[in-house]
Amino acid sequence: MPNQTTASSPIVEISELDFCYGSVPALHGVNLSIPARQVTALIGPSGCGKSTLLRCLNRMNDLIEGARVVRGSIRIHGVDIHGPEVDVIELRKHVGMVFQKSNPFPKSIYENIAYGLRLQGVRDRARLDAVVEQSLRGAALWDEVKDRLQQSALGLSGGQQQRLCIARTIAVEPEVILMDEPCSALDPVATAKIEELIQELRSRYSIVIVTHNMQQAARCSDQTAFFYLGRLIEHAPTRDIFTSPANPQTEAYVSGRFG
Amino acid sequence: MSATGPRPTLFVRRRLRFLGLTPDDAIRAFFGGNAVVAVVVLALITYFLVREGAGFFGQNRRNLEVYRLAGLEFVDHLRAQEEAHTALTRRLSELRLKAFARLSAGTDGAEAAERALAVFDAYAERFGAAIDPLRALGSELAEVATGIKTKFMVNEDRKEERRQLIAEGKAGEAARVGVVPVDFAAEARPLLAARERHREVNRVLATELLALQAAPPAPPVPELRDLLERFGAEVRSYVAELPAIERRLETWDQAKPVAAGEALRAFLFGRQWLTASFWQDWYGLLPLLTGSLLVAGVALTLAVPLGVGAAIYVNQFASVREQRVVKPAIEFISAFPSVVLGFFGIAVLGEVLRQVSQLPWLAWVPGFPFSERLNVLTAGCLLALIAVPTIFTLAEDALNNVPRALPEASLALGASRLQTTLRIVFPAALSGIISAVLLGLGRVIGETMVVLLCAGNRIAIPDFTQGLGVMVEPVHTMTGIIAQEMGEVVRGSIHYRALFMVGLVLFLLSLAINFLAQRILRRYRLAPS
Amino acid sequence: MSAPTHRFTPRSGARRLREAVVVALFRAATYAVLLAGGGVFADILYKGSRTVFQAEAPFINTTFLFSSPESLHVFEWEGRRREMGDREFRAFREREPGAADVRAESFVYSAGGIWPCIAGTLLLVAGAMSLALAVGVSSAVYLSEYARDGRFIRFVRLAILNLAGVPSIVFGLFGFGMFVIFFGWNVSLIAGWFTLAFMVLPVVITASEEALKAVPQGLRAAALALGATRWQTIRTAVLPYALPGILTSSILGIARVAGETAPIMFTAAYVVRDRLPWEVERAVDFLFQGVMALPYHIYVVSSKIPQNEYTERVQYGTAFVFLLLVALVAAASILLRNRLRARLRW
């Protein structure tokens, strides 16, 4: 790689971002640097704009009529992702996303994982097989499904489905993985597995996770950003946020007094 | 006092009762009664179609019986032989036409061509004349057979008259109506006796034809040698067939009863729908069924790509503003009355298509150019316009019902819009789209006015030998025949009942299509996620 | 800085072009449909307006709209081509002594107007829709308010779905067999009403159920919790809110009823009838008379008389009036329903 990113250098830089849904503003003047190969948690009460910010990072908001960036920029590896020469589809290959509710395609487990590669025109069976296995292993799902790769993904349990979605995401080798409350629909056991998985993935990917669950943020993130009413209130290493927050609103939120 | 125990009247409401029913029960029963109206109507439709139509089989059986008893069947064997010869003669005229076109294109013009063809013409004439003895025999026997049939019919009428007179209590007058049962066996004796003559005629015919094919004229144009040779082969196989026909006449059994299944088979697989004929009426479904299916096929070929394509575009690619205009507009098209579309076909579209077909650079299209304004294509185009809104609306619904999470996941993996649509959304909606297409098919097959006005109304199985060119032939359809002939038939007659039978087939067909559409929709629906 | 910009640069141009072409094809399909529909609509509107409208006041051809059909006679008279309706022609022949044996070409139905057809269609639609609404709404109330999902109800729903797919000509045969023959009503208004009502029943039931379903469950629960009986709940807390929806959606049924020809061909429609529907001696005769109807008249004038400059007038004129009537009803229904759907998101 031409410019080697060190563990602490930022991979995503958000500066002075204003974002609107039609005429309704959702984000104001957000400045945030997301370090590479770390887990950054976005927390805050419902409607604070954390999901919106997440969906800005791979421009999923483009799908919503009237949603647009009013001011400011998002740079990934220094490239403005709203720039004219940027292809949103290439962007999404580099910035993968895992959704709140698991959303496997109504296809076989194998085809779910292979989907991203097939899109890029990969037909080589051996390579597909290899990537499927590698991705499922990476998502700690291989042992559970290796005997039924050709069965429908809809037959998996909720937690397995979510890990399948993660596997599907890492199959296209993104650099950044966005997770939008990935555990909110799961039971505690499945949640624990996903959190464990996140810990393993951090060594290779930069992860941004939106969560409502304070313990989750505390447990598995390195950095935490607290949002309130569309503004970034505080951004600091997770330990600092939960032990000595600088802002009284942050303190009120993390200690459970509102939200 | 109140504290001592539960009051028995608490929670009991005093209600008026009538026949043991509270008003609420009665209201409920009233609504429930209305709810089953749909079931009742379906049952009534079945009942009345069967009630009016079922008599058809008995009547048709009788119809076929008379066909046999009166010897029409016998004579038809002869006629078939005659027709096969006529087909051969027609082959010769085609040959001549081709030769003439070649010759007259030369420098010497038409007159020289005529001269060059003189030998050929003499040959053709001799060939045509060879059948004359058989034709004479055939028409003589046909007269005998129709004579028998007429006698029988007259007698039937008399019987009916007598029955009516007796019913009116005029026994005296009834006795005066003479009814002489027809002795079919005796009446048909001249037919059977003619078999000897037929063999004789055939022998002469065979020698003549074989002689003719052995000495064909020199081909007027060298290119036609192959065709002439093929003609010779056809003549030989025709002659070889003659003993089979004789055998058929020999073994013809006038007294052989018509099986009950015969009447059904003659309806379902009959290749002719021929009514009010002086010779023999046939009520065969096939020409109508093939007509209906052919028109529906053309309509769906046009409507499926357009309807599904439009649904995909509107659902996946159109802006909200575009959606808001296009969807109601297509829905609006579905309100066009079919009779107006049929009129448009007669007044405008038929002629436009005919002229388009005559554009020289479109000559490669099968069937083009055509001269018949009203045909399968004209009707099919208009029916497509009827089917598109149905298919579009239901297919768009199906696409809309695909959970949004699926395309989102696909896009987040770096798929383009089109890839997402074709690989994720379309397959997920496929069962809904197939069922939409099936319902469109039901709509098209059941449509009456457009085909009645625009399909050309020629009752014959279309000629499939010309491949796709079949789509510019005029046809008649099941719906069209009912609409056209229902007004003219005598109530209770076999023709009347045959039309009800066609209606019953149509009804069952539509039920089957509907049922299939629902099965597909339910069976392959996505698990709600 | 050149290396990083490579990360998100566009894919190859050929691939993008291919996608653009495919999407353009889908788009072309959409607009081809609209174009075809618009073409038919415009042709009939344009050519028909020449019959229905005129240059001088009152700008609408009242003769065409408000008189009965007559034969058209075309003949040469004193070197000029004359066109006259039946009555005018007779008067003309009496007036002009030399005209008694003038040779005239005649075209039936091509003069006069279509008033009996308009009246007949309106009567057919009004009666059929009243019947269908009464039965259909009751049926929908039962299905959505009373019935519990069970085998029988599923059967009823299946029947409704299947009824919707029955071809209209089969309804015509059924109506003929049941009402015209079995009940002995002959070809009559009332036989047409019932036939059309049964045909449109599934549309009305489905539309009504949709409207009933749109009323929030909370309203029902609230009424029941206040001690209302089931019927009281329906009457006070459900039907009033569902009614606008039921009515607007059912207008689409009107378009269907008015637009169909096949079911009335043998049950209610006459090719020609001299008297208007309300010119009857006894009140019962009103129900048991056949009527002229616009769709049937279009069928008759487009298939039973030749196509030429003289007949085109009445052909296009009738199609224009009929299409406009049906289109207005349909457009009103679609617009009202879309507005209602937008408003009724509880």
Side-chain angles (χ1 to χ4, degrees), chain C residues 64-83:
Chain C
F64 182 70
L65 288 182
F66 298 112
S67 64
S68 297
E70 290 177 42
S71 294
L72 178 74
H73 301 278
V74 182
F75 56 94
E76 298 270 349
W77 181 251
E78 292 170 351
R80 268 196 326 137
R81 183 160 282 260
R82 304 280 204 113
E83 295 170 34

Side-chain angles (χ1 to χ4, degrees), chain B residues 13 15 24 27-39 41-42 44-49 51-52 305-314 317 322 324-326 328-344 346-348 373 382 385 388-389 392 416-419 421-422 442-443 445-449 452-453 478-479 482-484 486-488 491 496 499-500 502-504 506-507 510-511 514-515 518 522, chain C residues 11 15 18-19 22-23 26-34 36-41 43-44 47 134-135 137-139 141-143 146-148 152 155-156 158-171 173-174 176-178 180-183 186 198 201 205 227-232 234 252 255-256 259-262 265-266 294-296 298-299 302-304 307 312 315-316 319 322-323 326-328 330-331 334-335 337-338:
Chain B
R13 192 191 279 197
R15 296 174 189 220
D24 246 42
I27 288 165
R28 186 196 158 96
F30 168 76
F31 286 133
N34 280 297
V36 298
V37 166
V39 180
V41 171
L42 267 187
L44 282 177
I45 292 177
T46 318
Y47 172 71
F48 276 98
L49 289 181
R51 184 187 126 100
E52 297 296 319
L306 288 178
V308 176
I312 289 176
Y313 177 73
V314 168
F317 300 103
E322 207 173 1
R324 234 180 271 152
V325 176
V326 172
I330 292 186
E331 216 176 330
F332 180 73
I333 293 177
S334 77
F336 281 13
S338 59
V339 69
V340 172
L341 289 177
F343 165 66
F344 179 79
I346 286 190
V348 180
R373 242 174 1 114
L382 291 164
L385 195 58
V388 161
F392 169 82
S416 68
R417 250 337 278 236
L418 186 68
Q419 283 174 323
T421 301
L422 295 184
R443 186 88 207 267
I445 287 206
E447 174 48 50
T448 309
M449 299 319 288
L452 178 59
L453 290 170
M478 295 193 288
T479 50
I482 299 174
Q484 190 178 34
M486 195 65 202
E488 302 158 4
R491 221 168 271 180
Y496 168 89
L499 291 177
F500 268 94
V502 176
L504 189 63
L506 206 52
F507 177 60
S510 72
L511 287 189
N514 233 307
F515 182 73
Q518 281 153 34
R522 213 164 313 152
Chain C
R11 297 152 299 152
R15 204 156 148 191
R18 209 161 56 216
E19 299 211 338
V22 174
V23 173
F26 284 136
R27 187 173 196 165
T30 312
Y31 284 94
V33 171
L34 293 185
V40 175
F41 197 64
D43 177 72
I44 295 198
K47 293 191 189 148
V135 176
V137 174
S138 307
S139 177
V141 165
Y142 183 82
L143 288 175
Y146 286 104
R148 279 186 210 96
F152 176 68
F155 180 64
V156 170
L158 194 70
I160 292 169
L161 275 174
N162 278 317
L163 200 60
V166 173
S168 55
I169 187 88
V170 171
F171 275 103
L173 277 181
F174 156 67
F176 182 74
M178 177 158 168
V180 176
I181 294 185
F182 187 68
F183 288 178
N186 291 322
F198 284 158
L201 197 57
I205 295 178
T229 64
R230 194 91 229 181
W231 166 236
Q232 285 169 327
I234 294 167
L252 208 60
R256 174 111 202 262
E260 282 289 358
T261 318
M265 274 179 125
F266 341 116
L294 277 171
Y296 194 54
I298 294 177
Y299 165 61
S302 56
S303 68
K304 309 275 180 198
Q307 287 244 312
E312 210 180 62
Q315 288 167 342
Y316 269 104
F322 185 47
L323 185 59
V326 174
L328 284 180
I334 292 168
L335 291 180
R337 195 192 49 199
N338 286 356

Side-chain angles (χ1 to χ4, degrees), chain A residues 96-99 102-104 112-113 134-141 158-174 177-180 182-183 186 190-191 193-198 201 204-205 207 209, chain B residues 413:
Chain A
M97 186 163 192
V98 176
F99 294 83
S102 60
N103 48 5
N112 261 282
I113 309 291
Q134 198 185 317
S135 307
L136 284 170
R137 281 190 195 282
L141 195 58
Q160 287 173 324
Q161 286 192 3
Q162 195 60 294
R163 275 180 286 149
L164 179 79
C165 292
I166 293 174
R168 187 174 66 185
T169 306
I170 60 183
V172 280
E173 308 253 326
I177 298 179
L178 310 174
M179 296 190 176
D180 190 357
C183 304
L186 301 180
T191 303
K193 279 195 178 159
I194 302 271
E195 286 180 8
E196 217 173 285
L197 179 58
I198 291 173
L201 293 175
R204 293 196 288 141
Y205 305 98
I207 296 174
I209 178 169
Chain B
L413 286 168

Side-chain angles (χ1 to χ4, degrees), chain A residues 6-184:
Chain A
T6 60
S8 59
S9 75
I11 183 166
V12 181
E13 287 161 295
I14 303 163
S15 60
E16 291 301 324
L17 187 72
D18 282 8
F19 188 86
C20 285
Y21 291 114
S23 58
V24 183
L27 294 171
H28 310 273
V30 174
N31 284 301
L32 181 65
S33 292
I34 295 172
R37 310 265 161 88
Q38 290 195 12
V39 179
T40 304
L42 309 183
I43 62 170
S46 300
C48 68
K50 57 193 188 305
S51 282
T52 301
L53 181 66
L54 193 77
R55 295 169 69 94
C56 279
L57 297 183
N58 67 345
R59 286 180 52 186
M60 283 302 273
N61 282 329
D62 288 11
L63 304 179
I64 299 165
E65 195 93 3
R68 65 189 199 282
V69 171
V70 182
R71 194 168 64 92
S73 70
I74 301 173
R75 287 175 184 280
I76 298 182
H77 285 302
V79 181
D80 183 350
I81 63 168
H82 290 96
E85 75 284 3
V86 166
D87 186 337
V88 63
I89 285 156
E90 287 302 312
L91 170 69
R92 287 181 191 145
K93 281 181 197 160
H94 286 82
V95 185
M97 186 163 192
V98 176
F99 294 83
Q100 185 169 4
K101 259 185 85 188
S102 60
N103 48 5
F105 300 129
K107 298 171 181 267
S108 68
I109 294 169
Y110 184 95
E111 284 303 322
N112 261 282
I113 309 291
Y115 180 77
L117 287 171
R118 285 194 193 279
L119 289 179
Q120 296 166 27
V122 177
R123 292 225 176 77
D124 177 10
R125 191 77 198 178
R127 177 156 169 227
L128 287 176
D129 286 348
V131 170
V132 167
E133 178 173 349
Q134 198 185 317
S135 307
L136 284 170
R137 281 190 195 282
L141 195 58
W142 175 252
D143 294 329
E144 290 163 64
V145 301
K146 64 178 180 222
D147 302 324
R148 45 172 173 151
L149 290 177
Q150 297 309 326
Q151 287 176 22
S152 168
L154 299 176
L156 298 175
S157 73
Q160 287 173 324
Q161 286 192 3
Q162 195 60 294
R163 275 180 286 149
L164 179 79
C165 292
I166 293 174
R168 187 174 66 185
T169 306
I170 60 183
V172 280
E173 308 253 326
E175 290 168 83
V176 182
I177 298 179
L178 310 174
M179 296 190 176
D180 190 357
E181 300 187 42
C183 304
S184 65

Side-chain angles (χ1 to χ4, degrees), chain B residues 255-302:
Chain B
K256 192 173 146 207
V258 176
E262 196 94 341
L264 178 66
R265 230 185 35 228
F267 173 69
L268 287 181
F269 306 111
R271 302 174 64 87
Q272 277 190 79
W273 180 279
L274 196 63
T275 58
S277 150
F278 76 98
W279 182 252
Q280 170 68 16
D281 288 352
W282 295 105
Y283 302 94
L285 188 65
L286 278 188
L288 308 173
L289 187 67
T290 45
S292 281
L293 293 180
L294 197 59
V295 176
V298 170
L300 285 192
T301 315
L302 291 168

Side-chain angles (χ1 to χ4, degrees), chain A residues 43 213-215 217-218 221 224 237-245 254:
Chain A
I43 62 170
N213 182 334
M214 230 68 69
Q215 281 79 29
S221 71
T224 297
T238 301
R239 205 179 330 114
D240 297 349
I241 288 273
F242 282 93
T243 54
S244 54
V254 298

